[in-house]
Amino acid sequence: MTESDSAAEQHRQAEGAPSRRAVLGWGGAGFALGAAAAGGAVAAFGPGSDMVPSASTGAAVPFHGEHQAGIATAVQDRLHFAAFDVKTKDRAELIKLLKEWTAAARLMTAGLPVGEGGFGGLPEAPPDDTGEALGLKASRLTLTIGFGPGLFAKDRFGLEGKRPEALIDLELFPGDNLDAARSGGDLCVQACADDPQVAVHAIRQLARIGFGRTAMRWSQLGFGKTSSTTPDEQTPRNMMGFKDGTRNISGTDKAALDKHVWVGAGDGSDWLTGGSYLVARRIRMNIETWDRTPLQEQEDIFGRDKGEGAPVGKSKERDEPFLKAMKPEAHVRLAHPDTNNGATILRRGYSFTDGTDGLGRLDAGLFFLAYQRDIRKGFVPIQRNLAKSDVLNEYIQHVGSAVFAVPPGVRDKDDWWGRTLFA
Amino acid sequence: MRPARLTVIAAATVAAALTAVTGCSQKSEAGGDDAIKVAASDSACDVSKTEFPSGKVQIDVENKGSKVTEVYVLFPDARIVTERENIGPGTKASITAEIKAGDYEIVCKPGMKGDGISQKVKATGKGGGEKRSPEMDTAVAAYRAYVVAQAEETLPKAQAFADAVKAGDVEGAKKLYAASRIGWERTEPVAESFGDIDPKVDVREDGLEAGQDLEKDWTGWHRLEKALWADNKIGDREKQLADTLIADLTDWQKKVGQAEITPTSIANGAKELLDEVATGKVTGEEERYSHTDLVDFKANVEGAQKAYELLKPIASKNDPELVKQLDTQFAALTVLLDKYRADKASYEFTSYDKVGEAERKELSDGVNALAEPLSKLAAAVTK
């Protein structure tokens, strides 16, 4: 629930990519196409480039690249986010799992089933792939892995010396009501796709491959992206009915990404260069009381009007906000980089609705995902500011929290998630 | 128990029932001089010929011993081709069966107990039976023996439980309840393959079908469990049901040797035992009144492990990686379960209502960790 600055750049859209069915039909050739993109094509087509496949094509987002896909990639419509506990105590087993996950992710993001597929194998044995995504397009599926603080614990995998300083344990912010069963995790995988079935399928396969070595700790489904990393798209609305994330960092703004999102070579943890840090927060909204709040109050709380999304005193959504015109405790004002010494994060949050709580209230809100170069300079100062005085706090509560170090991209077909960490 | 589902085993059982022409004791026209003569005594089982033409075969048995005996014709995997029980001392009996070409054993069981005395025989000619590797037959025969032994061991324990119920001894019956289920839980996929027995002995209150009457039609362990723990009393109906339980379990014990068992059905049966744990025990649904879920849990895992160990020689050749994984996960789950009993030799487990949410999650993770690779065992055996 924060604003970020951006620079609007035009982007081209990828032309129609093959559907899963077509890729299957080509046999090995379909995958070779994906693998080819890993090499020279990545620079021109990978995340961070100006080539962003649009939602309607069902295209495949290249898996290989300098950075992991799913961060600067144009935000897809749906999310399945999963946090895992690592159960194995064996470093070699963990490495093996990460390699298996990488291989499966490479296939699934190309629109292909894992292993020997979803049917046609031995009738006495369950198929390798659960099959619910057969015949569906790649749907811009991205799979993004993160490593939680627990992985670096002493006497665990010999990684204690590699924990980045910027991967901090978050302080408890005022108003936090965190549920341990929805917080933390040694590993996370963010699956984003334009088709929810494709995203759910991907997490399900990885969970299955992981059984025995990992156990799912918690997971979250998301819909209705609440921010955009493509500035020329309509800014989506959150569950409170407000446009949110107008000034997010654009996935095409290389300078801003380098400055605020990607971990740089001199930042202190070489293995993480080209990676990022992720903060995930499950933010429950008190939907019912919000809906009884007068319009003027709602607009004052956000600092924008509800219809156009224009900042107070301005007429267009993308007009430069004049912060002093807003109430001192307006959400946009408090979240703005100018109020936070320039602190800026890349947001990829999604709305969620997990049915109804026992009191008949909609269990809904924002599943907040923020990527940044340093959590201490990104999320923390902004959230301190918000938690202290944001008037929105009356209507929201943070109920889940996790932080992860997000490694750099998988370079090619021989590379795997976490190689630099375990090297 | 789970709502009935047609397992590999169940499907195969139907086929077996159709093909096995067994146990008829009338004089057959196939007999005469072609008949195989079996001279049974308390210490011998002499067969007049060990090779005979396939087709309709008559076996004439004479019990010259002092004990009542029974005679079986078995496939190499110990499946019963035909059998005749209760052949009294000094009496004769004839058995006829349709026997395809292949290797068999004729077994006499003086006293109708134990492994008996066996003699290898061969049916020659056309129409051979399905060929399986000897190691597969060994695994199947050993698993069949295990299943039979479990049923045999269960009956006296169930009888003790039933006796306590019939004596109106609520506390005594409570103590004997969980133990009486262990053999059943260890071999449940095979037990369930006899579609008519499982709904009689192991159905839960919510497992009754539409139109069934809770008072009249709900029988078996869980009905008594509810009486003992929820109602805390034993009435005439419960005493009656104790007898019914024994009758149904006796029926199971009689049938279990005839179950159609294959290497893949053993493997998938092991996986199904873990499914039982995952859906019924980890949630606490199975033993909702007695909270003895961890006893069932342990028995399910033991049964799965037995099945796995028997198939391990085959799986090790085809998929050593999987075997390594299964060894690790069986060991891990055993350690996890041992946390809930003070004495590793006893089946006194923590009451499941005392097991917290986080601990249940840990148990569930342990089950998933084992069940997922276990689902690949059938493929490793079939390769």
Side-chain angles (χ1 to χ4, degrees):
Chain A
M1 313 210 124
T2 60
E3 295 274 310
S4 300
D5 61 359
S6 73
E9 276 181 28
Q10 287 300 313
H11 71 277
R12 290 174 291 143
Q13 295 188 342
E15 293 304 319
S19 73
R20 267 166 203 268
R21 206 182 291 281
V23 171
L24 286 171
W26 298 341
F31 182 56
L33 193 72
V42 145
F45 196 69
S49 82
D50 57 357
M51 188 91 138
V52 185
S54 75
S56 57
T57 62
V61 177
F63 179 67
H64 297 136
E66 184 186 355
H67 311 293
Q68 287 196 71
I71 302 171
T73 308
V75 181
Q76 300 92 324
D77 289 337
R78 302 293 185 135
L79 170 82
H80 190 185
F81 187 95
F84 297 87
D85 291 325
V86 174
K87 306 297 275 191
T88 181
K89 295 182 169 70
D90 182 349
R91 179 182 162 114
E93 269 293 308
L94 176 57
I95 290 172
K96 191 160 163 283
L97 167 84
L98 290 168
K99 288 180 177 173
E100 287 175 29
W101 270 11
T102 308
R106 192 179 278 129
L107 287 168
M108 291 191 288
T109 53
L112 297 168
V114 298
E116 291 177 18
F119 56 89
L122 278 174
E124 295 92 349
D128 283 352
D129 188 285
T130 53
E132 74 272 26
L134 292 173
L136 299 178
K137 293 178 179 181
S139 306
R140 294 196 303 141
L141 172 69
T142 56
L143 292 166
T144 314
I145 197 169
F147 301 141
L151 217 56
F152 302 92
K154 203 162 173 295
D155 299 326
R156 209 168 169 207
F157 299 108
L159 298 172
E160 53 266 37
K162 294 208 169 179
R163 177 169 175 170
E165 275 187 31
L167 183 67
I168 54 167
D169 296 311
L170 289 180
E171 66 211 57
L172 195 69
F173 296 98
D176 279 3
N177 182 21
L178 303 181
D179 175 359
R182 289 190 196 272
S183 298
D186 295 326
L187 297 171
C188 76
V189 179
Q190 169 198 282
C192 297
D194 292 322
D195 184 329
Q197 183 115 341
V198 170
V200 168
H201 169 261
I203 293 296
R204 182 170 162 196
Q205 305 313 300
L206 296 182
R208 195 178 171 197
I209 292 167
F211 280 133
R213 294 171 289 183
T214 56
M216 185 104 76
R217 182 177 173 85
W218 53 273
S219 83
Q220 182 67 55
L221 291 173
F223 63 91
K225 57 190 179 190
T226 56
S227 57
S228 164
T229 51
T230 38
D232 62 341
E233 269 187 48
Q234 162 112 346
T235 302
R237 291 177 188 270
N238 64 16
M239 291 294 279
M240 289 171 161
F242 276 77
K243 289 186 182 178
D244 201 8
T246 301
R247 304 295 299 266
N248 205 11
I249 299 175
S250 164
T252 56
D253 185 348
K254 190 172 181 316
L257 291 169
D258 284 342
K259 187 174 176 196
H260 298 295
V261 178
W262 306 128
V263 174
D267 286 358
S269 285
D270 288 347
W271 70 268
L272 200 60
T273 303
S276 189
Y277 294 96
L278 170 63
V279 173
R281 306 279 287 187
R282 188 176 191 269
I283 305 173
R284 173 85 189 266
M285 292 174 177
N286 301 327
I287 299 280
E288 291 78 10
T289 52
W290 174 260
D291 293 346
R292 292 172 203 135
T293 304
L295 177 62
Q296 187 60 53
E297 195 178 331
Q298 290 186 4
E299 292 185 336
D300 285 348
I301 287 171
F302 269 92
R304 287 183 179 277
D305 78 48
K306 201 165 186 178
E308 163 64 24
V312 173
K314 300 294 174 92
S315 59
K316 291 285 177 225
E317 183 197 338
R318 291 182 194 282
D319 287 347
E320 191 60 36
F322 180 58
L323 299 179
K324 287 183 178 152
M326 298 175 183
K327 296 270 161 70
E329 291 165 348
H331 178 68
V332 167
R333 182 169 177 173
L334 289 172
H336 198 277
D338 290 353
T339 319
N340 296 290
N341 297 319
T344 302
I345 52 182
L346 170 69
R347 305 180 26 188
R348 278 188 75 92
Y350 286 81
S351 289
F352 71 83
T353 305
D354 290 343
T356 307
D357 68 15
L359 301 172
R361 305 179 301 181
L362 208 57
D363 182 3
L366 168 68
F367 188 65
F368 172 94
L369 294 168
Y371 288 91
Q372 60 246 283
R373 187 171 171 178
D374 187 331
I375 295 172
R376 297 166 299 181
K377 294 173 185 162
F379 177 76
V380 169
I382 299 171
Q383 184 54 25
R384 272 187 195 146
N385 214 9
L386 288 172
K388 194 171 69 186
S389 44
D390 186 0
V391 279
L392 195 57
N393 290 340
E394 193 178 330
Y395 300 97
I396 61 171
Q397 188 171 50
H398 289 233
V399 293
S401 177
V403 293
F404 302 95
V406 178
V410 173
R411 299 305 178 104
D412 54 41
K413 67 178 174 48
D414 298 320
D415 197 6
W416 46 280
W417 275 336
R419 177 185 50 84
T420 55
L421 173 60
F422 290 91
Chain B
M1 104 127 220
R2 203 173 36 232
R5 100 181 170 198
L6 194 63
T7 62
V8 176
I9 295 172
T13 308
V14 175
L18 293 173
T19 53
V21 183
T22 62
C24 103
S25 58
Q26 297 105 330
K27 268 279 181 202
S28 158
E29 46 302 334
D33 293 341
D34 293 337
I36 302 161
K37 294 185 172 52
V38 176
S41 69
D42 294 349
S43 58
C45 185
D46 294 328
V47 177
S48 63
K49 45 186 163 186
T50 54
E51 252 188 65
F52 49 86
S54 60
K56 199 164 193 183
V57 173
Q58 179 174 331
I59 300 162
D60 293 335
V61 183
E62 183 173 5
N63 184 2
K64 295 174 177 170
S66 63
K67 295 176 184 167
V68 65
T69 193
E70 56 192 355
V71 174
Y72 292 86
V73 180
L74 302 177
F75 286 107
D77 66 4
R79 191 164 19 119
I80 299 166
V81 180
T82 183
E83 65 174 317
R84 177 93 166 102
E85 293 176 350
N86 289 316
I87 306 169
T91 65
K92 292 181 182 178
S94 282
I95 316 169
T96 57
E98 190 76 31
I99 299 182
K100 290 179 177 176
D103 295 318
Y104 298 89
E105 271 182 55
I106 291 177
V107 183
C108 305
K109 278 193 194 175
M112 295 175 57
K113 281 210 166 99
D115 294 338
I117 308 153
S118 76
Q119 169 76 57
K120 285 191 190 321
V121 295
K122 186 189 276 291
T124 55
K126 48 188 183 340
E130 76 274 37
K131 269 285 163 201
R132 266 204 312 248
S133 71
E135 55 188 354
M136 284 194 178
D137 280 337
T138 304
V140 170
Y143 188 66
R144 187 184 308 284
Y146 174 72
V147 164
V148 169
Q150 290 305 312
E152 282 174 357
E153 285 170 24
T154 295
L155 273 174
K157 289 178 183 162
Q159 188 65 58
F161 168 65
D163 289 346
V165 171
K166 285 164 73 179
D169 178 5
V170 173
E171 289 313 308
K174 279 183 178 175
K175 286 196 182 77
L176 294 163
Y177 169 78
S180 76
R181 296 174 43 76
I182 290 173
W184 173 273
E185 289 288 330
R186 281 177 182 152
T187 57
E188 201 166 354
V190 180
E192 278 182 350
S193 75
F194 307 106
D196 54 334
I197 300 174
D198 184 64
K200 289 181 193 161
V201 304
D202 200 27
V203 72
R204 297 194 303 250
E205 190 166 0
D206 46 15
L208 292 185
E209 289 168 24
Q212 284 193 309
D213 183 77
L214 211 54
E215 286 302 311
K216 272 206 332 261
D217 300 320
W218 188 21
T219 59
W221 272 303
H222 294 303
R223 167 67 179 76
L224 293 168
E225 180 204 359
K226 188 181 182 187
L228 292 172
W229 274 274
D231 309 334
N232 224 24
K233 62 172 187 246
I234 295 169
D236 289 345
R237 176 65 178 152
E238 283 74 31
K239 291 177 184 179
Q240 217 174 43
L241 286 172
D243 280 335
T244 308
L245 176 66
I246 297 303
D248 291 333
L249 290 176
T250 306
D251 186 24
W252 163 53
Q253 190 237 318
K254 279 195 175 138
K255 284 182 177 170
V256 80
Q258 292 174 26
E260 176 75 12
I261 297 174
T262 65
T264 48
S265 75
I266 298 173
N268 283 322
K271 184 212 64 126
E272 282 168 33
L273 284 167
L274 269 289
D275 293 347
E276 290 278 338
V277 176
T279 51
K281 278 76 178 187
V282 160
T283 56
E285 283 172 72
E286 177 87 20
E287 305 290 358
R288 61 188 66 166
Y289 309 110
S290 66
H291 306 300
T292 54
D293 301 270
L294 287 176
V295 182
D296 292 5
F297 189 146
K298 179 66 182 172
N300 286 154
V301 172
E302 284 176 337
Q305 186 154 17
K306 178 70 183 181
Y308 162 62
E309 296 291 346
L310 292 174
L311 295 171
K312 200 162 143 183
I314 305 169
S316 309
K317 281 190 210 158
N318 296 335
D319 195 343
E321 187 62 28
L322 179 68
V323 165
K324 202 178 117 200
Q325 211 180 342
L326 287 171
D327 282 342
T328 307
Q329 296 304 342
F330 266 116
L333 192 54
T334 302
V335 168
L336 195 54
L337 273 171
D338 281 345
K339 283 166 61 177
Y340 299 95
R341 57 175 177 177
D343 173 5
K344 284 178 196 171
S346 100
Y347 283 82
E348 296 270 320
F349 280 87
T350 306
S351 180
Y352 205 58
D353 57 342
K354 303 281 191 295
V355 176
E357 284 301 315
E359 293 166 305
R360 289 184 183 202
K361 166 79 163 65
E362 193 183 24
L363 287 165
S364 175
D365 288 345
V367 171
N368 279 332
L370 173 59
E372 184 63 28
L374 200 53
S375 75
K376 299 186 172 86
L377 182 60
V381 169
T382 315
K383 263 179 201 164

